[in-house]
Amino acid sequence: MRIAILALQGAFMEHEQMLERLGVSSFEIRQRKDIEQAFDGLVIPGGESTVQGKLLRELDLFESLKMKIADGLPVFGTCAGLLLLAKKVKNDDRIHFAAMDITAIRNAYGRQLGSFYTESEFKGIGKIPMTFIRAPYIEAVYGNAKILATVNGKIVAAREDNMLVTAFHPELNKDLSVHRYFIEMIEECRAIHL
C-alpha cells in the first residue's frame, strides 16, 4: 500500500510520520509528475484551503486529482482538506473538489485563539484526542455522507464512500486510530474494486 500526501502547504510531514508509524509507505505530491506514480490513497492536510486550492490549479494537479477522487480513490482530508472536499462551504464562495455531500463552515471556531483540544467519540473507534486549529465544522451532511464524530453538537468528522474528513488534526496527537481507520477504508475500497 502506498499513500500520496498533498505537500503544497500545511501539516503534511505529520501525516507522513503517522503513516510511517503504521508501517505504510507514503510520498509527497508537489508537482504534476508526482501524480503519475501509482498510489492507493490520498491525504489532503490541514493548512490554508484557499492557498492549497490556488496551488492545485497553478501546478496543474487539480483536474487529475478531482477525477481520481470521483473514480473512487480513497481520500482523507483534515481541516483545510475537509473544505477542499466539501460540495458547499457556507461562508466562502470558492468551491474546490466539490466531491463530498457536506456543507462546511470555514474558520468556524474563530481564528488562532479559537484553537482547542478535547476528547470525543469517533464512530467505530471510540474516544480519541482531537486538536482543533482555526477549524471548520460541518453544518450538514446529506446524500451518502455519514456523521462519524461530533463535539458540542457540531459535526467534526464524516465519511462518504471513499472520502473521510475531520475538522480536527489527528496527525498532531500520538493516537494512530484515525489514520488506521483510513487504511482500513483503503482496504475496503480495494476489495470492492477487485
Side-chain angles (χ1 to χ4, degrees):
M1 181 183 297
R2 198 149 180 258
I3 297 177
I5 300 172
L6 190 65
L8 304 180
Q9 189 262 346
F12 54 88
M13 282 295 298
E14 290 83 350
H15 283 288
E16 287 174 34
Q17 290 159 2
M18 296 300 257
L19 293 170
E20 192 179 328
R21 285 175 57 205
L22 287 165
V24 176
S25 168
S26 69
F27 71 97
E28 295 176 0
I29 292 179
R30 292 178 178 273
Q31 54 193 327
R32 177 88 194 152
K33 68 178 174 71
D34 296 332
I35 58 174
E36 291 161 14
Q37 302 177 55
F39 52 101
D40 306 293
L42 171 67
V43 173
I44 305 174
E48 179 48 63
S49 59
T50 313
V51 174
Q52 289 187 29
K54 187 171 178 281
L55 289 171
L56 278 162
R57 289 172 174 89
E58 284 174 6
L59 297 167
D60 193 26
L61 296 166
F62 183 78
E63 287 304 326
S64 296
L65 290 177
K66 185 177 169 76
M67 269 175 30
K68 285 179 184 291
I69 294 164
D71 288 345
L73 174 74
V75 60
F76 173 24
T78 60
C79 200
L82 178 155
L83 294 169
L84 289 172
L85 289 166
K87 278 194 180 158
K88 296 177 194 159
V89 179
K90 202 164 184 185
N91 53 347
D92 194 343
D93 53 7
R94 289 164 295 211
I95 298 299
H96 301 283
F97 292 123
M100 194 167 179
D101 291 334
I102 57 173
T103 300
I105 298 181
R106 196 169 180 266
N107 290 337
Y109 292 102
R111 296 284 172 201
Q112 214 69 26
L113 293 173
S115 301
F116 65 99
Y117 169 88
T118 190
E119 290 185 7
S120 194
E121 288 292 318
F122 189 105
K123 192 175 181 181
I125 295 177
K127 193 173 256 196
I128 61 162
M130 298 179 178
T131 299
F132 293 82
I133 301 170
R134 289 179 59 204
Y137 64 73
I138 299 166
E139 185 184 62
V141 299
Y142 49 96
N144 292 324
K146 306 272 184 289
I147 298 168
L148 294 177
T150 60
V151 170
N152 300 327
K154 309 266 193 287
I155 305 164
V156 297
R159 177 177 176 183
E160 181 185 346
D161 305 324
N162 59 311
M163 296 173 282
L164 171 67
V165 292
T166 61
F168 58 93
H169 291 266
E171 76 283 5
L172 298 181
N173 299 301
K174 288 189 168 68
D175 188 281
L176 294 168
S177 47
V178 178
H179 286 79
R180 194 176 288 118
Y181 181 97
F182 180 54
I183 289 160
E184 287 165 7
M185 245 179 82
I186 293 171
E187 286 164 352
E188 275 172 40
C189 290
R190 272 167 138 183
I192 292 165
H193 292 102
L194 283 179

